[in-house]
Amino acid sequence: MVNRDAKMLCDIARVSRSGYYHYLKHSGENDRDYHDYLLIKGIFDKGKGKYGWRTIQMKLKANKNMVMNHKKIKRIKKKYDLITKIRRLNPYKAIMKKTKEHRTFDNLLDRNFNQPVPFRAFGTDITYLHYNHRLAYLSAVKDFASGEIVAFEVSQHLEMNIVLNTVRKMKDNLNDNTLTNALIHSDQGVHYTNPEYIRMIKELNMVQSMSRKGNCIDNAPTESFFGHFKDDVDYKECKTFEELKDKTAEYINYYNNDRQQWGLKKMTPVEYRNHLLSHVG
């Protein structure tokens, strides 16, 4: 049969020419795979040629209540030229993976929150603040030893400046020598794996530590401060961003200098910091 006649008959029968030629090829040899081929091809076509053997196996089980060995599926796919389309890798992700610019660090803190000496281990994080149908963000650095908030930044934008400005304030508030070899712990968020943040921490000669993925308890003291802040401050009542900033600064000043804590021997964070420093050396 000439190709033109074959095409016409395939169109009438509504079958593909490749399927027709496969049928011709195997019709004389009692092809026991052909029925399974039709089942597999039906699923394969429904998936627009993107299904591999695992998905086909699951679909056969779910839709046809049929268990088919994965080796058989792979063999039939190869036999009938059912080649799976490979999804192209996102070029941005490929570049990021190749350059490894965004880095994660080991959890060096390992939940050792009870630090005996101030300014040796810090926790940092960001939280959301809803006010007047708007959204703002609070970034803070907490000293694990004293519980003192040594730096903070309130921003209307969740860009890199929120953490970079927080670090700059920490540097301004504390002596550079104090920060040398000090540990700063965070989650694995995009801000803390960013090359700019990593570079800034390195320039301060500090050591980065990160929580494990999905383990917010690895930075529990910083999360605890945010909890107290949200319980104590009527930030949702703020009408303007300036009012929110003022209330935040007022509370953190109170938290550091006036709010006595049972776990700090009934002292405030600043009092407890000075108490610990007086016993160093």
Side-chain angles (χ1 to χ4, degrees):
M1 183 181 293
V2 297
N3 288 341
R4 185 175 58 188
D5 293 338
K7 181 180 185 305
M8 181 181 68
L9 289 175
C10 288
D11 289 341
I12 292 170
R14 295 183 180 180
V15 297
S16 68
R17 290 174 66 187
S18 62
Y20 169 73
Y21 287 122
H22 271 298
Y23 172 75
L24 286 181
K25 181 179 178 182
H26 300 288
S27 60
E29 59 185 51
N30 189 24
D31 186 4
R32 290 175 296 176
D33 289 332
Y34 196 70
H35 176 70
D36 291 333
Y37 155 70
L38 292 176
L39 291 173
I40 291 171
K41 189 174 188 305
I43 293 171
F44 185 78
D45 289 345
K46 196 170 272 188
K48 299 179 180 178
K50 297 178 182 178
Y51 290 162
W53 69 262
R54 291 180 179 84
T55 304
I56 291 172
Q57 188 180 58
M58 287 189 293
K59 297 280 184 187
L60 283 171
K61 174 65 176 172
N63 301 337
K64 306 291 183 181
N65 197 27
M66 176 184 289
V67 177
M68 190 179 293
N69 185 280
H70 73 279
K71 291 182 180 178
K72 183 175 184 178
I73 296 171
K74 290 166 75 174
R75 178 175 59 78
I76 290 175
K77 282 188 70 196
K78 183 177 180 181
K79 178 177 177 179
Y80 290 94
D81 297 322
L82 301 180
I83 300 170
T84 302
K85 296 176 185 175
I86 305 298
R87 185 174 58 187
R88 293 181 64 186
L89 188 65
N90 183 312
Y92 174 76
K93 288 185 178 179
I95 292 168
M96 292 305 298
K97 188 174 182 180
K98 187 175 181 181
T99 58
K100 296 183 179 179
E101 283 186 335
H102 284 248
R103 292 181 55 203
T104 59
F105 293 81
D106 292 337
N107 184 1
L108 301 178
L109 181 68
D110 197 25
R111 299 187 187 177
N112 292 319
F113 303 129
N114 295 322
Q115 296 288 322
V117 181
F119 309 135
R120 304 315 303 147
F122 303 92
T124 186
D125 204 351
I126 303 169
T127 193
Y128 299 84
L129 301 176
H130 293 271
Y131 75 103
N132 196 25
H133 307 293
R134 298 177 188 175
L135 195 59
Y137 309 91
L138 170 61
S139 165
V141 178
K142 182 176 184 178
D143 188 328
F144 285 133
S146 66
E148 181 183 5
I149 304 302
V150 298
F152 70 94
E153 175 81 358
V154 185
S155 175
Q156 292 174 292
H157 308 287
L158 198 55
E159 297 171 352
M160 277 305 300
N161 272 341
I162 190 171
V163 296
L164 299 180
N165 288 341
T166 308
V167 174
R168 290 186 187 104
K169 289 180 179 179
M170 177 177 67
K171 180 184 176 184
D172 292 341
N173 294 342
L174 303 177
N175 188 294
D176 285 0
N177 294 331
T178 301
L179 298 177
T180 299
N181 294 324
L183 183 145
I184 185 160
H185 185 83
S186 69
D187 59 25
Q188 294 185 22
V190 66
H191 294 84
Y192 305 113
T193 60
N194 187 283
E196 284 187 86
Y197 177 82
I198 294 171
R199 193 179 309 115
M200 186 173 280
I201 295 301
K202 205 172 273 187
E203 286 172 357
L204 292 173
N205 295 311
M206 297 183 74
V207 179
Q208 266 191 270
S209 169
M210 285 184 174
S211 302
R212 293 159 295 178
K213 271 202 181 253
N215 282 270
C216 59
I217 198 169
D218 285 350
N219 200 7
T222 316
E223 295 286 346
S224 175
F225 163 71
F226 288 147
H228 287 301
F229 178 94
K230 292 182 178 182
D231 286 342
D232 297 344
V233 180
D234 295 326
Y235 62 93
K236 292 181 181 178
E237 306 301 319
C238 294
K239 302 298 181 187
T240 67
F241 179 64
E242 290 304 317
E243 184 182 354
L244 178 68
K245 285 176 66 177
D246 290 344
K247 278 206 173 195
T248 302
E250 181 182 343
Y251 178 77
I252 290 178
N253 181 62
Y254 159 76
Y255 184 91
N256 284 336
N257 295 285
D258 299 311
R259 187 179 183 276
Q260 295 172 315
Q261 298 183 38
W262 189 271
L264 304 181
K265 296 185 177 181
K266 301 180 184 179
M267 300 180 195
T268 69
V270 169
E271 288 173 338
Y272 192 62
R273 175 243 290 167
N274 293 334
H275 165 73
L276 290 175
L277 288 174
S278 69
H279 289 80
V280 173

